[in-house]
């Protein structure tokens, strides 16, 4: 019943920026955390950034200082501001919603960093 709608993916040049957005809808009582994961072909899905309902954040070492995660608890949205993008950031990015012991996932949005 819960759905996640993502937007903001696309093609950018190295050094460019993108802002990913995700909005959760449906029967949501309480969200423990929201975050972004990514997966490139042939690689495992990895955590990019995560933010709890209390505002605590966690970032992958590879994106620290470049990416910023934010959320609006009232709107059940989470954004990922990506700056100084590198080719190695190329992947499908997935929005994640963690409610109690259940994880919900968005459809994924492609981010391609290439010149």
């Amino acid at each position: 019943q819960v759905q996640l709608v993502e937007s903001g993916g696309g093609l950018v040049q190295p050094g460019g920026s993108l802002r990913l957005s995700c909005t959760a809808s449906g029967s949501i009582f309480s969200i423990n955390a929201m975050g972004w994961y990514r997966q490139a072909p042939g690689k495992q899905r990895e955590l990019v950034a995560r933010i709890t309902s209390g505002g605590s954040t966690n970032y992958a070492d590879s994106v620290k200082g470049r990416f910023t995660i934010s959320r609006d608890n009232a709107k059940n949205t989470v954004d990922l501001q990506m700056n100084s993008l590198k080719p190695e950031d190329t992947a499908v990015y997935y929005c994640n919603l963690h409610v109690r012991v259940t994880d919900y996932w968005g459809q994924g949005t492609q981010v391609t960093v290439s010149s």
Side-chain angles (χ1 to χ4, degrees):
Q1 193 169 8
V2 175
Q3 289 187 314
L4 303 178
V5 180
E6 302 165 319
S7 63
L11 173 65
V12 297
Q13 293 185 324
S17 298
L18 280 176
R19 187 177 183 88
L20 305 182
S21 297
C22 175
T23 300
S25 63
S27 299
I28 305 174
F29 179 74
S30 180
I31 300 174
N32 297 116
M34 297 185 74
W36 291 92
Y37 292 71
R38 67 186 182 187
Q39 186 171 29
K43 298 182 179 179
Q44 296 187 158
R45 185 177 301 184
E46 64 175 350
L47 171 70
V48 178
R50 185 174 182 268
I51 184 168
T52 69
S53 59
S56 298
T57 58
N58 186 37
Y59 295 92
D61 289 340
S62 60
V63 307
K64 287 182 179 178
R66 299 189 297 120
F67 292 8
T68 302
I69 189 170
S70 61
R71 67 176 295 175
D72 186 326
N73 291 342
K75 297 180 179 179
N76 290 332
T77 61
V78 60
D79 291 355
L80 184 68
Q81 179 65 46
M82 305 185 293
N83 299 324
S84 302
L85 284 162
K86 304 175 180 179
E88 49 262 45
D89 294 318
T90 297
V92 177
Y93 284 69
Y94 296 91
C95 179
N96 170 260
L97 171 64
H98 187 201
V99 181
R100 195 179 176 186
V101 297
T102 304
D103 283 298
Y104 299 93
W105 298 91
Q107 77 283 1
T109 183
Q110 178 70 48
V111 172
T112 302
V113 185
S114 176
S115 59

